[in-house]
Amino acid sequence: MAASLCLRAFISCPKQSNSWIPPYKPIIPMNVSARPNCLNSRFAVKCSVSENFEGSEAANAAVLEKPIWENWLATAASLYPLYVTVGGLVACFKPSVFSWFVGRAPTSYSLTLGFIMLAMGITLELKDLVNLFMQRPFSILYGCAAQYTIMPAFGFIVSKILGLSASLSVGLILLGSCPGGTASNVVTLIARGDVPLSIVMTVCTTLGAVILTPLLTKILAGAYVPIDASKLSISTLQVVVAPVLLGSWLQSTFPQAVKMGIPFAPLLAVLASSLLASSVFSENVVRLKSSLIATSLPSDASLLLRVQTILSSELGVVVLSVLLLHLAGFFVGYLAATFSGFKEPQRRAISIEVGMQNSSLGVVLATSHFASSLVALPSAMSAVLMNIMGSSLGYFWMYNDPSDPKEVAQK
């Protein structure tokens, strides 16, 4: 969840080189002298590299040296998909491990998400985000519009096509109406996409979630259950926007104190996010296991029949609905960016940002405002599946050069 904490260097530069950059390390952008000066940020990397720097052996020297323990912390924080997958397996086979956390819900869920967003906020300087927004308003606004149209619409469409129950339909629509997740920033970096665009989109959609998430959920899911949009809005303000703004204020007011805690924040945030998703999943494990047992087949049943039976079970339907939702986000987000004339790095950033949601917010809102625990299940399942899908897409794109062939030919 707190992946953007590892990417502070990128927010200060309006453009990004097409050269591949090893993930999870602060870097000095290439060919900076040919671009506008970077913003003067407290946490930005200073961009003062010679014009002939790119492609030379000096590139390795440009990587900022950090203590080994900080590199270990950054690497550990990048393993979020692994943590949430392991947590899901533990929740599946021994759900009682999370009973201490589940028993204090929804307060424990809300406080955990607040901590995650506070960790994000302490790395942000809003004036730099505003400056970057003013330089690239169209791409940022376009990406945010794609986020809040594609995913909510497909949440509604998929729930209709699969004939989900009322609780699961509300949960899937709520997930689709959530803002972009910060794990998308690291995936965009891996995919050689436009990282500054991804980070600013995450922040903008997070701030917009106060109004848009409750409004879209009420419009699309109000037919299933009564939804109080004002209460959803207040909760979103409390657990998402307020901690982000508080963190940004702390960063600007007490920079030295915040600087000491920043290396630990990413790992703590991703562990907290994994705990949150695994705990919600553990709440529904017994019910999901019961649905599988009820659809048990004889030992001589064919593989195709077994697959069909699993997909028709409650667990199979939830997994399929979440997979389809995120696949639609990645694919349609990329197509929308392509049709609008964006270059490949921006297409990748928008695709990943649209396809990856803040599933922790979906969990908190579902557990706080809906009686059925099934409403939170799509968001909890998404935390596992979304990160596996996003990481796979990122590594696929990592080995595909995003450079425009025409621009390369002209060099």
Side-chain angles (χ1 to χ4, degrees):
M1 281 297 299
S4 63
L5 301 173
C6 305
L7 304 169
R8 301 189 299 276
F10 289 96
I11 200 67
S12 61
C13 296
K15 290 184 181 181
Q16 186 181 3
S17 168
N18 287 331
S19 300
W20 181 78
I21 301 164
Y24 316 127
K25 291 186 179 180
I27 52 91
I28 296 177
M30 310 298 184
N31 280 343
V32 177
S33 60
R35 293 184 253 156
N37 291 330
C38 292
L39 303 176
N40 182 20
S41 168
R42 288 187 180 90
F43 53 83
V45 174
K46 293 182 179 180
C47 301
S48 56
V49 187
S50 65
E51 191 169 344
N52 297 324
F53 181 78
E54 186 172 5
S56 69
E57 293 182 0
N60 292 331
V63 179
L64 295 183
E65 292 297 332
K66 278 190 172 185
I68 294 177
W69 63 271
E70 285 195 28
N71 289 329
W72 277 105
L73 287 174
T75 301
S78 70
L79 300 177
Y80 174 54
L82 175 62
Y83 301 145
V84 77
T85 302
V86 171
L89 292 174
V90 173
C92 186
F93 293 104
K94 196 172 183 181
S96 60
V97 170
F98 301 97
S99 58
W100 63 275
F101 193 73
V102 173
R104 293 170 174 80
T107 303
S108 58
Y109 295 170
S110 299
L111 291 176
T112 301
L113 179 58
F115 169 77
I116 295 168
M117 302 315 296
L118 178 67
M120 174 183 172
I122 63 175
T123 69
L124 300 176
E125 255 189 84
L126 294 182
K127 65 178 182 180
D128 290 333
L129 294 172
V130 171
N131 288 339
L132 187 56
F133 181 86
M134 296 302 294
Q135 293 169 3
R136 309 170 61 182
F138 175 71
S139 60
I140 294 169
L141 288 175
Y142 186 90
C144 293
Q147 172 74 53
Y148 279 119
T149 52
I150 294 172
M151 293 299 278
F154 274 96
F156 178 80
I157 292 170
V158 171
S159 65
K160 285 289 187 182
I161 291 175
L162 297 182
L164 300 182
S165 65
S167 296
L168 292 177
S169 295
V170 173
L172 193 67
I173 292 170
L174 176 61
L175 172 63
S177 302
C178 285
T182 54
S184 62
N185 306 147
V186 159
V187 173
T188 301
L189 176 60
I190 296 171
R192 303 164 72 180
D194 190 327
V195 181
L197 174 60
S198 176
I199 293 175
V200 180
M201 278 183 61
T202 299
V203 176
C204 290
T205 56
T206 297
L207 297 177
V210 176
I211 297 174
L212 295 174
T213 297
L215 179 63
L216 291 168
T217 303
K218 183 174 180 61
I219 292 173
L220 297 174
Y224 295 104
V225 295
I227 295 174
D228 192 329
S230 61
K231 289 184 178 180
L232 285 176
S233 182
I234 292 172
S235 292
T236 307
L237 179 65
Q238 291 174 338
V239 300
V240 174
V241 178
V244 168
L245 296 179
L246 174 61
S248 181
W249 177 79
L250 290 173
Q251 193 273 341
S252 60
T253 308
F254 307 102
Q256 294 304 318
V258 169
K259 185 179 179 180
M260 295 173 61
I262 281 179
F264 302 94
L267 180 58
L268 293 175
V270 299
L271 291 175
S273 183
S274 302
L275 173 63
L276 184 60
S278 301
S279 298
V280 175
F281 184 64
S282 70
E283 281 190 275
N284 295 277
V285 162
V286 175
R287 179 188 179 100
L288 294 174
K289 285 183 176 179
S290 299
S291 70
L292 285 176
I293 293 173
T295 57
S296 59
L297 294 171
S299 58
D300 59 344
S302 65
L303 178 61
L304 178 60
L305 182 59
R306 289 179 181 276
V307 172
Q308 290 177 337
T309 303
I310 292 174
L311 290 177
S312 64
S313 68
E314 195 168 46
L315 174 61
V317 169
V318 173
V319 170
L320 181 60
S321 65
V322 172
L323 285 174
L324 290 176
L325 176 63
H326 289 297
L327 280 173
F330 291 127
F331 182 68
V332 179
Y334 185 86
L335 285 183
T338 301
F339 292 151
S340 297
F342 288 103
K343 294 183 178 180
E344 182 65 16
Q346 287 74 48
R347 297 175 195 170
R348 295 182 182 185
I350 291 173
S351 169
I352 293 168
E353 192 68 26
V354 170
M356 300 188 73
Q357 302 293 90
N358 188 338
S359 54
S360 294
L361 176 60
V363 166
V364 169
L365 294 180
T367 54
S368 301
H369 297 280
F370 299 94
S372 174
S373 61
L374 287 178
V375 177
L377 187 56
S379 293
M381 192 69 69
S382 168
V384 180
L385 300 177
M386 171 189 70
N387 283 283
I388 294 174
M389 296 168 68
S391 299
S392 300
L393 179 61
Y395 280 107
F396 169 78
W397 268 332
M398 183 176 72
Y399 296 103
N400 290 271
D401 191 351
S403 304
D404 188 334
K406 296 181 180 178
E407 293 182 356
V408 174
Q410 292 174 356
K411 290 183 179 180

